[in-house]
Amino acid sequence: MVSETAILGGGLAGGAAALLLARGGARVRLLEREAEPHDKVCGEFLSIEAQRDLARLGLDTARLGAVPIEHLRLCAGRTRIEARLPFVAQGISRKQLDEALLEMAAMAGAEIERGVRATGLEPGGVATNRGPCPARRVLLATGKHDLRGARRTAGTARNGYVGFKMHWQAKPGAGDGLEGGIDVILFPGGYAGLQPIAAGVLNLCLIVRRERLAEAGGTWEGLLTELMREPAIARRLGDARPLFAQPLAVADLPYGYVCGPRADLPGHVFRLGDQAAMTASLTGDGMAIALRSAHLAAAALASGEPAGAYHARLARTVSGQVRRAMLLQRATEMPALLRPGLGLLRLWPGLLARLAEATRLPHWQSA
Ligand SMILES: Cc1cc2nc3c(=O)[nH]c(=O)nc-3n(C[C@H](O)[C@H](O)[C@H](O)COP(=O)(O)OP(=O)(O)OC[C@H]3O[C@@H](n4cnc5c(N)ncnc54)[C@H](O)[C@@H]3O)c2cc1C
């Protein structure tokens, strides 16, 4: 049977789109390559915009055990600058969050197929490892992974970042030590976010330049040994126990990418989430973009709007935020800017909250 819409990828973007389209009465088939619910490389900092878009879908993150995050501590060596966030964010496990959305989508009537990997676009649908999947429209929501025939980065240089994530069990009785806050730790060649995502569970998520990783021996163990010399990391994780046998890792993240109305994609193909735009992880708003893209794509499909118009609207919505986020990320890497920047922040910690505000997804009304 030809589906009206095939959605490739069951992350936040794909799951939210499946839910919205199924609620609207569309025949939807979502293909997810992983057979089981799984963790993802993500800081798991759920911004207020992402919370609002989840609430619009009827998803109660508190019910999933999300913990409030009210403070931001910027740490660089022995420097520690603390400010109240301009909103209450949440720490939440992506494995649980993404799964909850997929369950809601299935309840609404979307067909969710796990363990099915899309291998390329083809006329009239999608090729998969289980054979062809005919579809009138295709939503590309494969996250950081590009599909054959639909590479995101034509003309965009890939940078040399590697991302890692590891969950930790805080020492019993020690709480999480973070007291409702997130530590953003700048270190030579990268930065890390460390925050609680459930009672007593911490998430360490970081990006590091390939050269820096090579200097640390090219392994997670080598890098972690060096990171444990950072006071902010040693303080929280010295007594903690890693919860995964190996960290999750991802490479070559096309930060700064924003898909405009593309001539090189067929008109029935819509990009969502990281396939549409990638903001700097530092700002913790990628999930909000993924959810917003799903809302905008579902609205475009419902009104018969072509993919180009949807891509243009999404680009207008996110371009400013992505540009500012990338400037901030670059500034953290340039000692000549970082040093005076930290000096300024020490004098005026409230500037941290202003920077957080400047890198947010716009409200619906102003989108
Ligand atoms: C280091 C790092 C830290 C981050 N921290 C934060 C943060 O704290 N807060 C925040 O808001 N954002 C953060 N982000 C960004 C955020 O993780 C992403 O923007 C978000 O996950 C994008 O959602 P998505 O649905 O587009 O993709 P994903 O969540 O990656 O989902 C894609 C899905 O597609 C599936 N898939 C892939 N290929 C195929 C295929 N060929 N066929 C079928 N299925 C496929 C995958 O298995 C996956 O389930 C961070 C990103 C990085 C790299």
Side-chain angles (χ1 to χ4, degrees), residues 8-14 31-34 38 40-46 94 98 116-119 141-145 147 163-164 205-207 250 253 255 272-275 278 281 284-288 290:
L8 314 183
L12 283 187
L31 312 180
E32 166 54 51
R33 68 177 184 174
E34 300 290 338
H38 56 287
K40 300 203 163 111
V41 177
C42 182
E44 304 185 314
F45 174 93
L46 196 65
R94 283 296 301 275
D98 291 23
V116 183
R117 186 167 50 84
T119 53
T142 51
K144 287 137 200 108
H145 310 276
L147 202 64
F164 286 106
C205 189
L206 61 95
I207 62 166
V250 65
L253 303 157
Y255 284 123
L272 272 67
D274 282 356
Q275 281 289 310
M278 265 196 79
S281 306
D285 221 23
M287 289 193 268

Side-chain angles (χ1 to χ4, degrees), residues 171-366:
K171 193 176 169 202
D176 57 40
L178 277 150
E179 297 94 27
I182 176 169
D183 282 0
V184 174
I185 302 133
L186 308 180
F187 59 86
Y191 59 81
L194 181 59
Q195 64 164 41
I197 54 143
V201 181
L202 302 175
N203 180 21
L204 175 72
C205 189
L206 61 95
I207 62 166
V208 60
R209 288 253 174 224
R210 273 185 192 282
E211 315 82 79
R212 176 74 176 87
L213 182 59
E215 280 164 26
T219 63
W220 164 248
E221 290 73 18
L223 181 65
L224 190 61
T225 304
E226 296 203 359
L227 289 180
M228 283 292 188
R229 291 189 197 122
E230 296 292 328
I233 296 184
R235 190 167 50 237
R236 315 286 187 202
L237 298 184
D239 294 330
R241 180 172 59 85
L243 289 173
F244 307 149
Q246 284 298 319
L248 306 182
V250 65
D252 287 334
L253 303 157
Y255 284 123
Y257 171 79
V258 176
C259 164
R262 292 168 57 102
D264 58 339
L265 274 184
H268 66 289
V269 179
F270 293 66
R271 284 184 188 276
L272 272 67
D274 282 356
Q275 281 289 310
M278 265 196 79
T279 192
S281 306
L282 186 68
T283 60
D285 221 23
M287 289 193 268
I289 294 178
L291 291 163
R292 185 68 58 85
S293 70
H295 281 279
L296 292 178
L301 289 174
S303 65
E305 192 177 54
Y310 152 76
H311 289 133
R313 175 167 303 114
L314 186 66
R316 278 197 303 278
T317 306
V318 306
S319 290
Q321 131 185 64
V322 172
R323 210 172 33 248
R324 290 187 289 275
M326 292 308 297
L327 282 174
L328 202 58
Q329 177 160 298
R330 281 186 208 112
T332 65
E333 294 189 310
M334 299 166 75
L337 282 180
L338 183 60
R339 255 181 257 117
L342 288 174
L344 185 61
L345 285 168
R346 252 196 305 253
L347 292 173
W348 182 22
L351 181 58
L352 267 182
R354 297 281 174 92
L355 291 172
E357 251 164 22
T359 52
R360 301 294 98 199
L361 188 64
H363 289 304
W364 272 90
Q365 309 85 284
S366 50

